[in-house]
Amino acid sequence: MLGAHVITDPEVAAPHATDWTGRFTGDPPAVLRPGNVDEVAAVVDIARHHHVALVAQGGNTGLVGGATPVDGEVVVDLRRLDAITDVDPIGGQLTAGAGASIAAVQAAAGAAGWAYGVDLAARDTATVGGSVATDAGGLRFVRHGSTRRQLLGVEAVLGNGSVIRHLPLVAKDNTGYDLAALLCGSEGTLGLITAARLLLVATPGPIATALVGFATTTDAVVAASALRRALPGLEAVELMLAAGIELVRQTTGLAAPLAGDAPVVLLVEASAADAPEALLADAVGGLTGVLDAAVAVDGPRRAQLWRYREDHTTAINGLGPPHKFDVTLPAGELAAFIDSVPALVAAEAPAAHTWLFGHAADGNIHVNVTGLPAADERVADLVLSRVAALGGSISAEHGIGRAKRRWLHLAQAPADLAAMRAVKAALDPAGICNPAVLLSLPPPSRPT
Ligand code: MLT
Ligand code: ZN
């Protein structure tokens, strides 16, 4: 039935075999490119009967090996399911196929007089299916929350072969179990999401963007909290360190963003019906520890300020496959954690380098470690254990995937894990849906 959309030539399949970081790679026996939900259901049916493991893939912008066929899974590329339909300009909703990019959803929302509440640096490539499967957070979490908050319903082919289709035309709907919320963040382990019904948000008014340099991490983290209270139209608060900005500058040729040498920089964005730059400047003026600031209102200049932040991922990937730890800390622990991580890593792996950036207002810091062999998990154990001991989460928005599966016990109690396994067994009894991620392995034995 799929004909030309079955790829078995390893060269053609190669872009599907390795993740964005380059750390996870595999050798898929085939890549299937179904064009509609019935074809996805047919693929799942065959896989169930022949016990073939499947991994769903969209834009392949995942960062934890959650969509990579490392163990010889068959890849199901869902990008042909990219239709955006049933746009409701009055209710502010639309239905997007799993293969629609985040940018396409944003454009469709804009054309209907609305906006989509999720934004990511990988917006042109990342797809709706992947963002639902990982409950992607991104750059606007402080304003609109993660993907789960935008999700009204899903269509999906479950591992047991059934097709669930709940794409409600209404926003208020509490009819029983919220299967969409269950599939959101399930990382492809329960079924293959084929479409999502998304709630849109109001288009922000005029926007101002600022880069603000701080003397210390504590000043920047305290500022993120103060800005949340001072600016009702706060759209984003992103954190960078001087070393990361320097790396981005080396790879892009961008000029220095601020006059001085601030060790910590926040990118702050706020909207207001009138003069957002004045409101933003006023709020920044009330902060402690500010060394320097640059404010922009016109589109090209704002886009340039965003590049210092958005280009971090590719700049770090350029140094060789990073180990990525996407973690959240309680607000009171964040600054000390950020300041302590480089030394923690260096004590275990002196040749490694730690890069830190993230979503300051969400307590979410991305710890990236380069210069480590792909399979070396010593640093993961240290960093994730420290996060758990501080009351944080080992996965804020990238998912558990393969990278953090050995540490899931740090995040979920035995009864919670048992409930998750029971759900998995009920919805994917043959264990064909992304079996190697999330719930797969027992915890590693810790050295005594
Ligand atoms: C980001 O915040 O830019 C994304 O989560 C990607 C990354 O962490 O590299
Ligand atoms: Zn992020």
Side-chain angles (χ1 to χ4, degrees):
M1 46 128 200
L2 286 171
H5 295 292
V6 176
I7 299 165
T8 51
D9 177 343
E11 255 177 58
V12 186
H16 301 272
T18 302
D19 80 327
W20 191 17
T21 66
R23 184 177 165 211
F24 297 96
T25 191
D27 188 13
V31 176
L32 310 179
R33 302 185 66 239
N36 56 51
V37 64
D38 294 336
E39 290 185 356
V40 177
V43 167
V44 169
D45 233 29
I46 294 168
R48 280 190 317 124
H49 287 109
H50 297 276
H51 297 278
V52 175
L54 302 174
V55 58
Q57 215 178 70
N60 201 10
T61 54
L63 296 163
V64 289
T68 317
V70 175
D71 293 306
E73 295 89 342
V74 167
V75 174
V76 185
D77 175 0
L78 294 165
R79 283 177 304 171
R80 288 177 65 217
L81 280 68
D82 62 354
I84 296 181
T85 61
D86 300 300
V87 180
D88 176 356
I90 299 175
Q93 304 177 8
L94 55 75
T95 297
S101 69
I102 300 301
V105 171
Q106 290 171 344
W114 295 84
Y116 182 47
V118 174
D119 192 22
L120 319 166
R123 62 185 73 77
D124 293 324
T125 318
T127 59
V128 166
S131 67
V132 174
T134 55
D135 185 22
L139 306 167
R140 308 280 165 194
F141 181 95
V142 65
R143 181 81 162 146
H144 302 296
S146 69
T147 300
R148 188 175 279 130
R149 201 191 295 170
Q150 332 300 319
L151 193 61
L152 296 175
V154 293
E155 175 190 78
V157 182
L158 300 179
N160 63 16
S162 60
V163 178
I164 59 165
R165 188 177 288 117
H166 188 67
L167 300 168
L169 301 178
V170 292
K172 211 167 178 185
D173 165 30
N174 70 349
T175 51
Y177 296 153
D178 189 344
L179 297 179
L182 175 64
L183 287 178
C184 188
S186 65
E187 302 189 34
T189 59
L190 303 178
L192 283 75
I193 295 160
T194 51
R197 184 83 183 152
L198 301 171
L199 185 63
L200 307 177
V201 299
T203 312
I207 294 180
T209 307
L211 286 190
V212 188
F214 289 88
T216 67
T217 316
T218 301
D219 288 336
V221 168
V222 169
S225 166
L227 290 165
R228 281 174 62 201
R229 283 167 281 171
L231 293 168
L234 188 65
E235 299 280 335
V237 188
E238 296 292 310
L239 181 141
M240 298 168 268
L241 301 186
I245 292 176
E246 185 51 35
L247 181 69
V248 169
R249 288 187 56 211
Q250 279 165 20
T251 53
T252 58
L254 286 170
L258 296 170
D261 286 330
V264 188
V265 175
L266 289 186
L267 183 152
V268 185
E269 192 157 91
S271 65
D274 192 28
E277 68 280 17
L279 276 181
L280 189 50
D282 204 36
V284 169
L287 300 173
T288 303
V290 174
L291 299 178
D292 198 3
V295 183
V297 277
D298 65 286
R301 178 74 184 128
R302 287 182 43 233
Q304 198 189 14
L305 296 188
W306 269 104
R307 284 200 64 193
Y308 295 101
R309 167 61 183 84
E310 292 199 339
D311 285 10
H312 267 67
T313 307
T314 27
I316 292 167
N317 285 351
L319 300 174
H323 289 241
K324 293 182 84 86
F325 311 113
D326 153 46
V327 299
T328 325
L329 277 299
E333 305 287 354
L334 182 62
F337 176 80
I338 292 172
D339 286 342
S340 68
V341 163
L344 185 73
V345 171
E348 183 69 40
H353 194 95
T354 305
W355 307 90
L356 295 147
F357 64 96
H359 313 287
D362 316 335
N364 180 188
I365 188 79
H366 296 311
V367 181
N368 289 247
V369 181
T370 54
L372 274 183
D376 187 339
E377 293 191 318
R378 283 173 304 154
V379 168
D381 202 33
L382 270 182
V383 172
L384 299 178
S385 301
R386 171 71 65 93
V387 168
L390 293 171
S393 166
I394 64 166
S395 178
E397 56 173 13
H398 293 171
I400 295 292
R402 290 169 183 276
K404 289 178 272 183
R405 61 191 177 180
R406 293 177 190 272
W407 290 275
L408 188 58
H409 66 286
L410 295 178
Q412 298 285 351
D416 301 59
L417 285 171
M420 287 189 199
R421 290 206 170 86
V423 172
K424 165 86 175 164
L427 301 187
D428 179 25
I432 57 162
C433 292
N434 220 5
V437 314
L438 191 60
L439 292 168
S440 61
L441 296 183
S445 50
R446 302 285 304 274
T448 47

